[in-house]
Amino acid sequence: MVNTRFGQWLGRLLLVCTLTIPLLLQDSFCLDGSPPAYHFSHGFGSGVNNWLVQIEGGGWCNNVTTCLARKNTRLGSSKAMVKELSFSGILSNKQKFNPDFYDWNRIKVRYCDGSSFTGDVEAVNPATNLHFRGARVFLAIIEDLQAKGMKNAQNAILSGCSAGGLASILHCDKFKSLMPSTTKVKCLSDAGYFINTNDVSGAKHIETFYTEVVATHGSAKNLPSSCTSRLSPGLCFFPQYVVSQIQTPIFFVNAAYDSWQIKNILAPGVADPHGTWHYCKLDITKCSSIQLKTMQDFRLEFLKAISVVGNSLSKGLFIDSCYAHCQTEMQETWLRANSPRLGATTIAKAVGDWFYDRSAFQKIDCPYPCNPTCHNRVFDPNDHLE
C-alpha cells in the first residue's frame, strides 16, 4: 500500500514550479484552443547542460464526445491547470532523493491534447472548437526549450508516465533527431507499455479504442513509419509493434500487473457489466483465485509483448510484479528506503546506471505476490475506474 503520509511530508521539501505558457509557433493548441504549457525547474552546478523532459499522463479521448468531456479540464485546457506543481521522484532537486538527475534542467510537459502528442488535424469544427494538434504541441515545446538552452544540451532524456510514457516511446527517435548530434540522448517510458490483448469478455476493447483515437486525432502521419508501413495505424499506437525499430536507447519501467491496464484493458466496465471485478480492481488482495489466475495470464501476455525489446544493452527493463501505475514521479517508488526493488536495485539506481553506462539493466520480477518491496495500489471505492 502506498504510504501517503510520507508523500505529504515530503511535499514540503519539494521544489514547486510555476506554470510556463511559452510563445509557441506552428498552430499548437490544447484541445480547447488554449496554448500548451509546462513547468520548468532550472538545472544548476554540473547539471546546467543536462535536460530531462517529462511528459504528463492522462489517458486519451477517442471521439468528439470523449474529447469534449475533457476539453475544459486540465487534460484539455491550460486554463484549467494549476499554476504551481511540486516536483518529486525523478523530478526532485534533492540529491538524496534523486542522485543522478537532481541538478538537471527538469521540465514537466502538461498533457492537454488527448492523443499522446500524435494528433494533427488542420480543420477545427466551429461547433465543438476542438483542436487536434498534439504533434504540433510536442514539436513547438521542444523548439521553445531549445531556445531556452536545450540546444546546448550535453545529456537529454525524453521521459513520461502513462500516456506520457507512451508518448516517450512514440516520439523517442523524433526527439533524438531534434537534438544536436553531440548530445547524449536516451528515452524513458514509465507505465507506457500498453499491450494489445483481449479483455475478460474476449473482445478487443483496447484495440478498437486505440484505432478510434488514431482516427479522431489524425495520428497516423505522426506514428513511426517503420510500423505504419507494415500494420494499420491503430496497431502502431501499441509499443509492442514499435519498439523493436526504435534506434535511440530506451528504458522501460512497468508493472507486470499495471493497475491501469488491469482496470481498463483486461477488465474494463464494458466487459464486466455486473461489476464482478470491481473490488479486485480496487485492491489486488480482494481478487478471487479465478481473477488472480486471469491476472497471471495477463502477466504472461505482457511479458510476451515486451519480449520484442530483445536483449540489446541499449534497452533497459525494470518490470516489477506490483499492482501499480507510474513509479518514477512518486518519491516512495522512485527512491526511498523501502522503494520497490528487483534484487537489491531501486528504479532510480537502475535508470541512473543505465543512462550513464555504469551497467546495463534488464530484469523481470517473479509473479505476484513474490516481491515484498512492492507498493501495491489500493484505490478509494469512490474512484472513477475507467
Side-chain angles (χ1 to χ4, degrees):
M1 184 182 299
V2 174
N3 186 329
T4 55
R5 281 196 304 173
F6 179 84
Q8 291 165 358
W9 168 80
L10 188 59
R12 294 197 291 271
L13 303 179
L14 299 179
L15 179 70
V16 176
C17 292
T18 56
L19 197 67
T20 299
I21 305 288
L23 296 173
L24 297 174
L25 306 175
Q26 304 179 41
D27 297 326
S28 54
F29 299 109
C30 295
L31 281 171
D32 71 331
S34 62
Y38 57 82
H39 299 264
F40 189 175
S41 173
H42 291 271
F44 54 93
S46 61
V48 292
N49 289 321
N50 298 333
W51 294 73
L52 170 66
V53 181
Q54 176 88 353
I55 303 174
E56 182 183 27
W60 310 269
C61 57
N62 63 322
N63 53 43
V64 169
T65 300
T66 57
C67 289
L68 283 174
R70 61 197 281 154
K71 173 185 171 185
N72 297 316
T73 73
R74 66 175 180 82
L75 293 174
S77 173
S78 57
K79 298 175 185 176
M81 295 174 184
V82 295
K83 304 307 180 192
E84 295 184 335
L85 197 68
S86 296
F87 278 13
S88 63
I90 195 172
L91 294 171
S92 172
N93 68 338
K94 306 295 183 184
Q95 185 174 9
K96 176 181 178 181
F97 298 122
N98 188 26
D100 285 308
F101 310 110
Y102 73 98
D103 57 356
W104 286 34
N105 295 282
R106 282 150 291 111
I107 295 93
K108 184 160 187 175
V109 178
R110 301 307 299 270
Y111 179 44
C112 67
D113 76 289
S115 73
S116 288
F117 295 108
T118 61
D120 192 355
V121 177
E122 183 66 32
V124 177
N125 186 335
T128 63
N129 195 40
L130 284 170
H131 293 68
F132 301 116
R133 305 282 182 84
R136 303 186 194 189
V137 169
F138 177 79
L139 290 174
I141 284 180
I142 297 304
E143 287 183 9
D144 193 74
L145 292 173
Q146 287 175 330
K148 292 178 178 175
M150 197 166 71
K151 64 183 178 182
N152 301 315
Q154 179 182 356
N155 297 295
I157 294 175
L158 178 66
S159 182
C161 153
S162 193
L166 176 60
S168 70
I169 296 171
L170 298 177
H171 290 296
C172 185
D173 283 341
K174 169 65 74 173
F175 180 70
K176 167 72 172 176
S177 72
L178 295 170
M179 299 298 293
S181 60
T182 55
T183 305
K184 179 177 182 175
V185 177
K186 295 188 179 185
C187 303
L188 169 64
S189 171
D190 177 11
Y193 208 100
F194 301 94
I195 69 168
N196 186 14
T197 191
N198 294 347
D199 62 34
V200 291
S201 75
K204 295 184 177 295
H205 172 74
I206 191 64
E207 182 178 321
T208 300
F209 181 81
Y210 274 179
T211 298
E212 292 169 350
V213 170
V214 169
T216 297
H217 291 266
S219 301
K221 69 187 83 168
N222 297 305
L223 298 173
S225 59
S226 60
C227 179
T228 55
S229 63
R230 300 178 292 111
L231 301 171
S232 65
L235 290 178
C236 296
F237 218 62
F238 289 100
Q240 66 201 79
Y241 306 119
V242 172
V243 298
S244 64
Q245 303 300 314
I246 294 176
Q247 301 300 307
T248 307
I250 185 168
F251 195 108
F252 302 95
V253 175
N254 229 101
Y257 308 88
D258 183 281
S259 57
W260 191 95
Q261 295 196 55
I262 297 296
K263 293 187 290 182
N264 297 279
I265 294 180
L266 179 63
V270 67
D272 183 36
H274 301 295
T276 305
W277 279 79
H278 179 75
Y279 291 104
C280 174
K281 292 190 291 185
L282 291 174
D283 181 349
I284 194 171
T285 65
K286 301 295 192 296
C287 297
S288 69
S289 58
I290 294 175
Q291 288 169 332
L292 283 175
K293 172 62 168 61
T294 301
M295 291 170 69
Q296 299 293 10
D297 290 343
F298 176 87
R299 172 182 177 269
L300 295 178
E301 286 292 312
F302 180 87
L303 296 184
K304 179 181 178 182
I306 207 165
S307 68
V308 299
V309 169
N311 56 9
S312 168
L313 297 182
S314 71
K315 292 183 169 69
L317 290 175
F318 190 107
I319 310 300
D320 58 33
S321 288
C322 309
Y323 188 60
H325 183 66
C326 290
Q327 300 178 88
T328 62
E329 291 182 351
M330 289 180 59
Q331 197 61 55
E332 296 93 330
T333 45
W334 172 248
L335 181 60
R336 184 184 163 197
N338 66 340
S339 292
R341 284 167 165 74
L342 292 184
T345 306
T346 62
I347 297 171
K349 179 169 173 50
V351 172
D353 285 350
W354 166 81
F355 182 84
Y356 283 109
D357 302 310
R358 295 190 291 253
S359 63
F361 195 91
Q362 282 197 348
K363 290 190 178 180
I364 295 172
D365 211 352
C366 48
Y368 173 86
C370 71
N371 191 336
T373 69
C374 275
H375 289 231
N376 294 318
R377 291 290 303 273
V378 177
F379 295 89
D380 187 290
N382 296 317
D383 283 350
H384 183 56
L385 291 177
E386 307 300 345

